Amino acid sequence: ALPAACAPGEQDGDGRISIDFNEYRGNMATLPDDMFVTAEDGDGIGIGDAFYPFSGVHRLDREDEFLGFGAFTTDGDTHAFGIRERGDIDMRNARLFLEYENETGRPVEGFTVRYTVETWFVGERDNRIRLKVNRDRDGYSAVDSLVSTSNTIDPGRHEDEAGLPIDGSLDEHRTRVEVSFLLPNLTGDESAGFDPMSALEPGETVYFRWQYSNDELTDGSVRSALALNDIEIEPIFAGETEATSDGPGALVFSREAGFHDDPFELELSSSLPGATIYYTLDGSRPDPNTVMSDEEWGALPIESRTRTFEYESPIDIASQVDRENEISLIQPSVFGEEWAWNEPDDDLEKAATVRAVAIAGDSRSTRLTSTYFLGGSHGERFSMPVWSLTTDRGNLFDPEYGIYVPGDSDPPHNYRQRGREWEREAHAEFFEDGERTLGQDLGIRIHGGFSRALPQKTLRLYSRSDYGTSRLNNRFFDTKELDDFNRILLRNAGNEWSRAMLSDVVMQTLVQHLEFDTQHFRPSVVFINGEYWGIQKIRDRYDHHFLETNHGVPREEVVIVENLGIDGAQEVVHTGPDGANQPFIDLRERLGAGEFDTREEVEEYMEVGQFLDYLVAQVYAGNYDWPSNNMRWWRYIGPDVSDDRGPYDGRWRWLMHDLTRSFGHEHTLHFDSVEWVFGDGEGFHPYFEENGRDGHEQPFIFIRGLLEIDAIRHDLLRRFGMHLATTLNTERTLAQIDEKAALLEPEAPRHIERWGQPESMEEWSGYVDEMRHAARERPGILLDHLFSHFTELDGIHEVSVIGADERIVLNSVPLGEETPGVDVTGGTWRGELFGGIPTRIESDELDLSTITIEPEENLESVSRSVDADHIEFVLRGPVEISVGE
């Protein structure tokens, strides 16, 4: 029989408690009072009472059966609270909580916490116990660790012993931890929900949480079994220790990260008894093994050298901000001519990046990282948000493993690599209006196709629980209500990097209100290891995480298919299981063979209207790096949970990305994208000038097959005319160009000075003017192309809708003033639409039988649906549509 629940020991008059686990038997009932556990399975789903899959007493002769929470013992009398994660049955995020209520009658300013970490199983990975404190039971991902304590066995030196049990009760396998801190000094990510704390008043509660985790991503799957024991909690009362910024804390910086007017000296302090503080100024992780002299530092290769300092006196931040260029002198590309790398002529803008850790034996504080800018406020220095990325410079620039450089191979190798093996650890800070709204460890990779070889590269940021925080909790875009990201892009502008850097941004913004997905945009400035890196645009990253957060579909139950590019295979799986592209290939082949007669048949497999709007946007833009490249589409492949049309219906939907070779970019103004996409492909194309489509027919077969169905072709042409009158009208497009150019213009001179591309502000302004010229001229050029190819079109006629509002949908566009591009003046909308094909009016709310269209002689083939939810007619001249009540 199990003993009754054992108490951890009553608080004494000063609020001190002490806890051992000698009565604990590996289940909820025998946990000390006021303690509980949580955990998740391999899919991230909470595990019942968290004692799963093992609950019981772990002895040295029973190690094979153990996984999960349990009591560790050698003699059957003394026990410890043990955790062992992962194995044949997966468990993660294993945590032990202590709920502490202030029963002292006095405000508690902070605590001294002591406990023992024991190692009971030899692993290959550097497993640790991390301590966090919070006012709530949840929200710990936003809270910084106070102290992180490793197992006593160096996994790198005992790989041959991996999997062996050891006696954690022995002194050589135990680490005693002690840390003091003030509640106001606890830190975290406020954008992710962390609330700065104040004193704990009588009757209020705080939660201590110990989590079993990895310190770093290392090889090996066998994890150590660790245990907690002999916990002591001792409050620090208000007045006993002054609650200032440099008061007790596992590690405290005397100044907050961000923007400061005047020079200052940064002080570092720690309350870990006997701790030594180590810090770096080059972006690397502090490591006692890299403390060195100036001579030793100077002898190391510039591409990979790192240096740690032992803290002895305050750090002069001004001297760091005033340093000379260093990593910006490393050549990141072998391109020539218009894409060439240019070494910066002058000293770049600098920031001071300080990374520090306090170490006392096997215990250490969380590693803190702060970036400091001098010489004015954020608004005085920069007109846009600022990223500071810090990492060991070898992660980016080492010829062997640096992801940002060509490497030593021929042809260039490093920045072309993909996958987890080429992901590097970094710390990211994000500053908005002078405040740091995000600061966390994460992973970075190089992103893109051709643009990987450019001197300035697109970076993909990964949040993972392995780095400490599994989400990027920040509202990066004003254009959508989302503050939950797994991945984000810092984009380099791709093919238009040496031009205006606006084509893709303007086009995607123009059509952002339509049903297909677009990548939202926000310009930012990037610093890498404290050196200015120029403008990089924050963009959505398309993957299964994006679909989950933006559409609510489970990320394990979606597939994304893409066309890889001119030299690659077509219709391949980007995200999802092998073979998940086959249903689309089957659909394309059936369309090409003419097996579908009606739109309704095709609607069972894809969202037709969404794709038609997507086609209009791409063809209008003159995107000549599409559709053989840069086309992606997705569908839900899980169990059908909805009878209604929506993300769960399993139909194909489209993701717009990379329109950098479009809209004012070189050949795009006069490029006959109508003939190229809808015709036989024999016309001019910058990539395929001599060989037609060069065997890349798949997307064109798909599109032509769709347009063989009259109803779909007519709808496409209807949408073309309507979007040219609304979404893509010249005034709206010019306004978007001016708006986006105004966002980049204040920072463009500094960016140009950094990269030498484009060569001057005059050249940049000239490229922006080319886009304005395209906004004025492209609609007329496109109309000529449409009328030349689609001979059924018969003129353009003015249409006036009197009584227009959002209840009236004309050729797929709601005529409300809130619809982008729709201008309703005095209750009337006016625009020019195509004749020769059916114009369509729809409404779910109005009785369309009351609508009048005059004069009748300018109409042909008028039809009304039986249930009066739509009207179709062919224009032969200008008409006036009156909407009745």
Side-chain angles (χ1 to χ4, degrees), residues 582-594:
Q582 191 60 46
F584 185 85
I585 294 172
D586 294 341
L587 173 63
R588 186 249 301 159
E589 291 179 348
R590 294 182 64 192
L591 280 166

Side-chain angles (χ1 to χ4, degrees), residues 313-375:
S313 60
I315 303 167
D316 182 7
I317 295 300
S319 66
Q320 293 304 306
V321 172
D322 293 337
R323 70 191 186 277
E324 296 181 351
N325 297 341
E326 191 169 359
I327 59 173
S328 56
L329 304 180
I330 301 170
Q331 183 170 346
S333 171
V334 293
F335 259 132
E337 300 179 356
E338 65 171 311
W339 309 111
W341 172 72
N342 298 284
E343 181 177 315
D345 293 331
D346 302 314
D347 283 341
L348 302 174
E349 292 282 325
K350 304 291 193 314
T353 58
V354 182
R355 307 187 80 180
V357 65
I359 299 177
D362 289 324
S363 292
R364 68 187 192 191
S365 70
T366 189
R367 182 176 52 250
L368 296 186
T369 303
S370 289
T371 300
Y372 300 97
F373 302 87
L374 293 181

Side-chain angles (χ1 to χ4, degrees), residues 705-756:
L706 284 172
L707 298 196
E708 287 296 318
I709 301 170
D710 290 346
I712 294 178
R713 185 177 68 261
H714 290 162
D715 193 14
L716 171 70
L717 296 175
R718 276 198 297 266
R719 290 170 189 254
F720 256 118
M722 194 67 188
H723 285 309
L724 286 172
T726 56
T727 304
L728 304 170
N729 73 68
T730 295
E731 291 74 19
R732 181 167 185 261
T733 306
L734 285 170
Q736 276 296 328
I737 294 169
D738 292 344
E739 176 185 303
K740 298 302 185 289
L743 292 176
L744 265 58
E745 188 171 16
E747 192 60 34
R750 193 155 35 192
H751 176 91
I752 290 169
E753 181 183 358
R754 168 67 177 89
W755 295 107

